Amino acid sequence: MQKIGHRGAKGYSIENTLESFQKAIELNVDAIELDVHVCKSGELIVFHDFTLERLTNGEGEVAKFTLEQLKKLKISGKHKIPTLIEILELIDKRCNINIELKGHNTAKPVSKIIEDYVQNKNWKYSNFIISSFQYEELSHFSQLNSNIPLAVLTQASVEQAIEWAIEFKATHIHPHFSLLTTDNCNFAKEKGLKINTWTVNDTIDIEHVKKFSIDGIISDFPDRI
Ligand code: G3P
Ligand code: CA
């Protein structure tokens, strides 16, 4: 069972910050999960929301600001919004990385960065899983790079995630844990798909989902898995 730290170790630190990913490493995760958007100057930044209000002292849409502008903001008064490259350098192959294509037009720049890390920095394609809820990003990514494991995220239907996974030659589905049944997990396995489920935080829920034939659990508290 893979232990995957959600937005780093969100239960112990501020989500999607360097500190949160460092904490996840200290908790011996197999992988971290993070969210990416493209900002106005073209860099990939690690941030969950489409807007700045909930997490920072800024306001407006993340995609409308340059990296220089975003770096002036504070998350919870002290953290800076990290870039994907900063997180890759911090992780330095100590665990795998599940990159969720959250923002629009993220498939191409993510594929480019991974290709660079595989060709020039000794990372392997298998160090990554790319996931998304978005049909367009999944479709684009599957056309760009079939070497990198791909996961279809869903909070609505395991059956539809399996259909999309077959269409995009994805290796994984990532369903919300409330959707899991013995039958749909077995059906995914028959189709050759791996299953990582999210976001499972309570120990009772963690024990419950372990009864299904799943491969990994994404949690804010990865040490509970
Ligand atoms: O990748 C699993 C999970 O992170 C998807 O939902 O909203 O937390 O990005 P969200
Ligand atoms: Ca996510």
Side-chain angles (χ1 to χ4, degrees):
M1 185 68 65
Q2 294 279 296
K3 284 197 277 185
I4 307 169
H6 188 231
R7 307 184 201 171
K10 182 174 178 280
Y12 299 105
S13 190
I14 306 296
E15 65 182 68
N16 284 331
T17 59
L18 286 165
E19 182 185 277
S20 186
F21 297 112
Q22 181 59 42
K23 180 67 183 173
I25 292 285
E26 287 162 20
L27 296 174
N28 283 318
V29 293
D30 298 298
I32 51 160
E33 187 268 357
L34 54 79
D35 309 280
V36 293
H37 294 260
V38 181
C39 67
K40 192 178 171 189
S41 46
E43 295 87 354
L44 283 160
I45 55 142
V46 176
F47 198 73
H48 180 270
D49 298 358
F50 282 78
T51 55
L52 294 165
E53 277 81 350
R54 179 177 67 95
L55 288 161
T56 78
N57 56 339
E59 12 180 273
E61 291 175 42
V62 172
K64 292 193 172 162
F65 292 88
T66 64
L67 183 61
E68 192 182 351
Q69 289 169 324
L70 292 171
K71 282 290 186 186
K72 290 184 181 144
L73 301 176
K74 292 276 164 57
I75 302 175
S76 291
K78 58 175 181 166
H79 304 280
K80 286 187 181 179
I81 298 174
T83 63
L84 179 59
I85 285 177
E86 286 169 337
I87 302 304
L88 293 176
E89 293 298 317
L90 172 79
I91 297 299
D92 194 22
K93 304 189 281 282
R94 288 180 290 170
C95 70
N96 292 336
I97 304 192
N98 171 197
I99 301 173
E100 183 188 337
L101 306 177
K102 183 68 85 181
H104 304 301
N105 303 317
T106 42
K108 192 171 178 182
V110 166
S111 171
K112 199 167 163 224
I113 285 181
I114 293 176
E115 207 51 54
D116 178 38
Y117 273 71
V118 170
Q119 300 305 331
N120 304 313
K121 301 188 179 179
N122 287 323
W123 287 63
K124 297 185 186 119
Y125 292 123
S126 58
N127 289 135
F128 298 93
I129 300 176
I130 304 307
S131 62
S132 190
F133 290 105
Q134 297 185 60
Y135 186 91
E136 284 200 358
E137 296 306 323
L138 289 165
S139 172
H140 194 186
F141 201 91
S142 68
Q143 288 159 30
L144 284 167
N145 201 327
S146 56
N147 295 314
I148 303 167
L150 189 61
V152 178
L153 269 164
T154 183
Q155 53 191 344
S157 165
V158 171
E159 285 70 22
Q160 192 197 49
I162 293 171
E163 276 177 32
W164 286 16
I166 293 167
E167 180 176 349
F168 301 132
K169 297 189 170 56
T171 48
H172 293 67
I173 57 168
H174 284 188
H176 186 266
F177 78 93
S178 65
L179 300 174
L180 299 179
T181 66
T182 304
D183 283 351
N184 63 26
C185 288
N186 288 344
F187 185 55
K189 291 280 142 173
E190 282 168 24
K191 297 291 177 190
L193 295 163
K194 291 191 169 180
I195 305 168
N196 295 324
T197 192
W198 55 279
T199 301
V200 199
N201 291 333
D202 291 344
T203 47
I204 289 174
D205 293 328
I206 290 169
E207 288 315 308
H208 170 68
V209 299
K210 280 182 177 175
K211 292 175 194 148
F212 302 114
S213 46
I214 60 170
D215 300 279
I217 297 175
I218 301 171
S219 177
D220 295 343
F221 302 91
D223 52 323
R224 293 181 184 173
I225 297 164

